[in-house]
Amino acid sequence: MNDARARYRIGVDVGGTFTDVIAVDEGGRVTFAKAESTPSDQSTGVVDGLDRLAASLAVPLRELLGRTDSIVHGMTVATNALIERKGAKVGLLATEGHRDILEMREGLKPERYNLRLAREEPLVPRHLRFGVRERVRPDGRIDTPLDPASLAKAIRGLRRGGIESVAVCYLHSYRDNRHERLTREAIAEQLPDVYVSLSSEVLPRIKEYERTSTTVVNAYVGPRIARYLARLGDRLSAAGYGGPILIMQSHGGVAPIEETIRVAAGTVLSGPAGGLAAARRVAELAGAPNLIPFDMGGTSSDVSLVVDGEAMLAVDKAIARERIALPSLDITTLGAGGGSIARVDGGGLLKVGPQSAGAEPGPACYGQGGHEATVTDASVVLGFLDPDNFLGGASRLDRGAAVDALARLGEALGTDHVRAAEGVHRVINTQMAEGIRVATVRRGVDPRRFAILGFGGAAGLQATELARIVHVRRIIVPRVASVLSAWGMLGTELRLEATRSHVGDTGELDLAALRALYDELETDGRARVGGWTDGGVRSRRAAEMRYGEQVYEIDVPLDGVDFDSPDLADALKRAFEARHEELYTYILPDLDPVLINARVTTSGALPAPPIEPQAPRDGAAAPVGAREIWLGEWMEAPVYDFDTLFGGQVLAGPALVESDTTTVLLRPGDEATTTPERWLDIRLPEG
């Protein structure tokens, strides 16, 4: 029942198929809703979801928004723009003679041994890339002052090209960015409506290709992000919301709209990042510091790692084959979801994905015009999903359409529709298990030491079989599994990542300059984050370092390093060696490591969503029904209502646990215990 005095915080996560909206009040009571995503304008799906959320709370939308303190939003606008190549028309200004850095890509192909690989078209074609006469040396000295005539000629070329956005990437501008700032002023005079992205603001660090690529991506998605957030703000304002809107960032924190528009490339993993934020909270609450978060939605699946309660970060990700060197959570995305389409290839082999039926037309069982067999259709045929109770009964699935789709697939395979559906599940599980191996075994991590955190609308049906394939024996499925990313967004923090290059061997560093650099980054970060929040602000220092002959840097936390100590250089070396040995099991004590980039993370705490207190109850869980399911043969499985389970109850497989938005499959031998939070803690049998 709605409490007329309750205040809410709302999380919104836009997925490929559904938009998830969740509200948490001061007592930890959770209410959530799902609406179909609207790829043409995601804000439409967001408002639809808020309407359904208000209906669930039995209040008008305007009243709900009036009692909402903050909205945290994870989106896929930048991701979709990159994948679909539907970003802005971008022009590039580079130092004269270096406009082709973007296309040369360090001389490497994405698949270096693929002789038939098609040439990758850059986001900025050559006729929109212009050289400008200027030059800054690596030590920051001005070698060639910015030439106004050369710049004016380049801007005229941008105007003729009809560009919407400009990326400015001059050599070594991370040392001195005055030329880039003067260029922005000139562009603002001549092209006042154009979005401008400076490399010295987006990524002020060494390595020209990474810096250029990241800045171009920022310019490519920035105008689309700005337009979307403006529409969203207008819609929410018209609906009665006047509070802050915080946007989920790829690094796992949140930032205000203004900062998000400035560094738009920082949102390319905005949606999946919410899941990892939630995973950190789950690790704490469930006493499972080592987790494999597995998020399976309608279009794709995301696999990542939480080690000792902390999510893993990467500083060099490729999204849609575009290099983005901003710090981001290390997430492996697979083209495998509930809407993944199954087909038979020319060799007669069953393939599933990466093509997806998405939200429109959706799987065949949605009854919206889709006719190809998908993973969701297979789940209906196998009895895992109840056609009459999809989305809590708000939608009904067409089992006949699912059977017809799988029958056509089975005919191509020479089998019946049930065996075809079983094959679809087997193939998709094998593919997702390989994604888990990529995130674990191929990085030297033993998955048997981890538990799987299953979330997303489709993960509950696959998690127990996945765990068997990769030899994991524990699975955790939260009650809000289908909207866990949206829930996790409410428990993250305001965060700003600042990086600056300062290259030198630790034994030869100018320590006074290094101290001043870290102090500057921290002071600036605290001032900016402090303006976003009334809470406490903290800073963490780190460095990207390597041995001199190595190609890639490693991230070295500097939490325990005393920067006022006279032996700062030795402390930096010890910190690097400890991290290097942890990652690679060896060090080279006679070599001084090289510090490449200084990094400071500044964060402001936001209150974590409380958990509604729930006293455990004695007694076995009572099923609400039973259903025939196929697990190699037809068998009867009891069906439990997820929402009526209480802490301490034990469920034995085979069984199905259903809520309005997700279903969890327990196979024979599985045993699930409900936690105090009423989550499922599933243990698999030995062997």
Side-chain angles (χ1 to χ4, degrees):
M1 180 178 295
N2 172 51
D3 180 353
R5 297 167 298 176
R7 302 291 303 179
Y8 296 100
R9 293 168 59 208
I10 292 178
V12 179
D13 176 35
V14 177
T17 305
F18 289 105
T19 294
D20 301 334
V21 185
I22 187 168
V24 180
D25 68 14
E26 308 99 313
R29 287 176 291 274
V30 172
T31 307
F32 59 86
K34 280 179 175 285
E36 289 185 359
S37 293
T38 50
S40 60
D41 181 358
Q42 292 185 7
S43 66
T44 301
V46 171
V47 175
D48 288 346
L50 289 169
D51 272 327
R52 296 187 184 190
L53 183 68
S56 298
L57 288 165
V59 297
L61 177 58
R62 182 169 294 275
E63 180 182 337
L64 169 62
L65 294 178
R67 288 159 50 190
T68 297
D69 294 324
S70 64
I71 293 177
V72 183
H73 182 22
M75 58 189 181
T76 56
V77 176
T79 314
N80 293 347
L82 279 176
I83 292 173
E84 298 169 3
R85 285 296 195 264
K86 292 182 178 178
K89 188 175 185 180
V90 180
L92 171 64
L93 300 186
T95 301
E96 189 175 58
H98 293 269
R99 67 172 175 158
D100 293 324
I101 285 176
L102 184 67
E103 194 159 2
M104 292 169 66
R105 294 173 174 262
E106 300 176 307
L108 299 176
K109 298 190 300 182
E111 301 172 28
R112 64 188 67 182
Y113 300 115
N114 184 352
L115 300 181
R116 297 183 179 181
L117 184 68
R119 175 176 173 269
E120 192 76 18
E121 292 294 333
L123 293 178
V124 185
R126 199 168 196 269
H127 73 277
L128 293 179
R129 304 196 300 259
F130 301 93
V132 175
R133 186 180 299 278
E134 68 84 41
R135 188 62 179 264
V136 176
R137 303 300 299 176
D139 61 3
R141 291 184 295 110
I142 304 297
D143 186 70
T144 303
L146 180 65
D147 181 6
S150 175
L151 176 58
K153 181 180 178 181
I155 293 176
R156 288 196 297 271
L158 293 173
R159 180 186 289 110
R160 286 194 303 270
I163 53 89
E164 304 169 69
S165 183
V166 181
V168 183
C169 309
Y170 293 154
L171 288 179
H172 308 298
S173 60
Y174 58 88
R175 286 293 195 194
D176 188 326
N177 73 345
R178 72 183 75 175
H179 288 175
E180 289 196 350
R181 287 188 283 107
L182 290 171
T183 297
R184 177 167 54 194
E185 293 172 5
I187 294 172
E189 290 179 3
Q190 301 297 318
L191 302 170
D193 297 327
V194 164
Y195 180 98
V196 181
S197 183
L198 304 185
S199 72
S200 55
E201 294 180 350
V202 174
L203 192 72
R205 50 176 279 185
I206 199 170
K207 293 188 178 179
E208 298 304 328
Y209 169 63
E210 283 87 346
R211 187 157 55 86
T212 302
S213 176
T214 304
T215 307
V216 166
V217 168
N218 197 73
Y220 187 72
V221 303
R224 188 163 175 174
I225 291 286
R227 288 194 295 270
Y228 168 70
L229 292 177
R231 286 196 304 271
L232 179 66
D234 290 343
R235 282 175 175 267
L236 292 177
S237 178
Y241 181 66
I245 303 173
L246 302 173
I247 307 301
M248 196 73 200
Q249 307 293 307
S250 299
H251 52 53
V254 295
I257 284 179
E258 296 77 11
E259 178 68 14
T260 300
I261 293 173
R262 189 181 72 85
V263 188
T267 65
V268 292
L269 291 176
S270 172
L276 262 179
R280 294 174 59 190
R281 186 88 192 281
V282 172
E284 175 188 350
L285 293 171
N290 297 321
L291 285 176
I292 301 171
F294 166 60
D295 176 7
M296 184 177 180
T299 304
S300 62
S301 297
D302 297 314
V303 179
S304 48
L305 281 181
V306 171
V307 180
D308 294 330
E310 291 295 328
M312 299 292 98
L313 278 177
V315 292
D316 195 6
K317 297 287 288 184
I319 307 295
R321 292 189 172 182
E322 299 298 333
R323 190 79 65 84
I324 303 170
L326 295 168
S328 63
L329 293 168
D330 195 359
I331 299 171
T332 300
T333 299
L334 312 171
S340 293
I341 296 171
R343 68 193 187 283
V344 179
D345 69 8
L349 295 177
L350 177 61
K351 304 285 187 181
V352 184
Q355 295 82 10
S356 173
E360 298 174 358
C365 62
Y366 279 17
Q368 297 177 166
H371 63 276
E372 295 179 287
T374 68
V375 176
T376 298
D377 294 310
S379 298
V380 172
V381 168
L382 297 173
F384 299 162
L385 292 177
D386 182 357
D388 297 322
N389 192 34
F390 189 64
L391 293 180
S395 178
R396 190 180 186 282
L397 300 179
D398 186 342
R399 188 178 190 280
V403 169
D404 290 345
L406 268 301
R408 289 190 294 270
L409 184 71
E411 184 177 354
L413 291 168
T415 188
D416 62 22
H417 66 285
V418 174
R419 296 287 184 181
E422 182 181 40
V424 169
H425 267 250
R426 188 170 297 170
V427 170
I428 200 75
N429 284 332
T430 300
Q431 291 174 184
M432 293 187 296
E434 182 58 25
I436 290 178
R437 292 190 184 101
V438 167
T440 57
V441 176
R442 294 190 184 183
R443 301 180 184 182
V445 174
D446 184 354
R448 293 174 297 183
R449 298 190 297 106
F450 287 69
I452 288 177
L453 170 62
F455 63 104
L461 292 178
Q462 319 296 144
T464 52
E465 181 61 20
L466 269 180
R468 283 171 165 81
I469 296 174
V470 297
H471 306 293
V472 170
R473 293 192 57 248
R474 185 183 182 190
I475 303 147
I476 300 168
V477 182
R479 191 168 63 90
V480 292
S482 66
V483 293
L484 194 73
S485 291
W487 179 79
M489 291 172 190
L490 298 179
T492 186
E493 59 190 5
L494 290 155
R495 185 183 301 177
L496 179 70
E497 297 276 353
T499 304
R500 192 87 58 81
S501 289
H502 187 91
V503 181
D505 292 354
T506 53
E508 300 176 0
L509 283 171
D510 182 341
L511 296 179
L514 183 66
R515 291 185 181 99
L517 173 58
Y518 271 103
D519 288 344
E520 177 188 344
L521 292 176
E522 183 169 338
T523 300
D524 179 65
R526 284 180 172 273
R528 291 170 64 185
V529 174
W532 303 342
T533 177
D534 296 329
V537 177
R538 67 187 181 96
S539 296
R540 298 184 65 179
R541 298 183 175 190
E544 293 168 24
M545 303 174 71
R546 59 175 168 83
Y547 285 122
E549 299 303 317
Q550 290 177 323
V551 178
Y552 297 105
E553 296 80 40
I554 62 173
D555 188 52
V556 180
L558 301 179
D559 296 333
V561 173
D562 181 3
F563 274 74
D564 295 324
S565 170
D567 68 340
L568 175 59
D570 290 337
L572 292 171
K573 180 179 180 180
R574 290 193 298 271
F576 169 81
E577 289 177 341
R579 180 63 174 153
H580 197 278
E581 187 165 32
E582 178 185 356
L583 292 173
Y584 305 117
T585 73
Y586 78 95
I587 61 172
L588 302 174
D590 295 333
L591 291 183
D592 281 337
V594 181
L595 191 151
I596 304 296
N597 297 308
R599 192 172 83 247
V600 173
T601 301
T602 309
S603 57
L606 294 174
I611 302 293
E612 183 179 8
Q614 187 71 58
R617 292 188 183 180
D618 296 329
V624 295
R627 193 156 69 243
E628 289 285 318
I629 64 173
W630 176 270
L631 292 174
E633 59 179 315
W634 288 107
M635 59 183 71
E636 186 173 82
V639 178
Y640 297 90
D641 183 350
F642 210 154
D643 294 329
T644 62
L645 296 177
F646 290 88
Q649 294 180 312
V650 178
L651 293 72
L656 293 166
V657 184
E658 293 183 338
S659 71
D660 287 354
T661 54
T662 194
T663 300
V664 182
L665 171 64
L666 302 180
R667 294 173 179 270
D670 297 347
E671 184 177 271
T673 303
T674 52
T675 70
E677 298 82 17
R678 296 192 292 161
W679 299 347
L680 293 180
D681 193 338
I682 305 168
R683 307 289 176 141
L684 271 56
E686 296 280 1

